[in-house]
Amino acid sequence: MLFDAVLDAQGLLCPEPVMMLHVEMRKLKGGDVLKVLATDPSTTRDIPKFCQFLGHTLEKSEQDNDLYTYWIVKKYK
């Protein structure tokens, strides 16, 4: 899947990945896709809730061993 920016949150623990995600989403324009790389299993719960709460779209998520990858589409204002 194509993306416009990458957030590498590997090695960080809750709440850091979601805090960084919030900052990165503010930098993007509506419709842009952010690819997030994380190793904290709590992101499987936190990132979907983040998207739902703020209206962004979690387009896709994958797990490969200890690596979690998310593609998030920023909402249009």
Side-chain angles (χ1 to χ4, degrees), residues 29-45:
K29 61 184 184 294
D32 282 355
V33 177
L34 178 65
K35 180 179 180 180
V36 181
L37 306 170
T39 49
D40 184 355
S42 70
T43 59
T44 61
R45 174 197 65 229

Side-chain angles (χ1 to χ4, degrees), residues 3-9 12 16-30 32-37 47 50 54 56 70 72-75:
F3 53 90
D4 300 289
V6 176
L7 169 59
D8 187 350
L12 301 176
E16 288 179 292
V18 172
M19 291 171 56
M20 292 176 67
L21 174 56
H22 197 69
V23 170
E24 290 303 310
M25 291 304 283
R26 287 183 177 164
K27 297 176 184 177
L28 301 175
K29 61 184 184 294
D32 282 355
V33 177
L34 178 65
K35 180 179 180 180
V36 181
L37 306 170
I47 289 181
F50 170 89
L54 293 176
H56 304 301
Y70 306 91
I72 302 168
V73 182
K74 181 172 179 169
K75 71 175 180 179

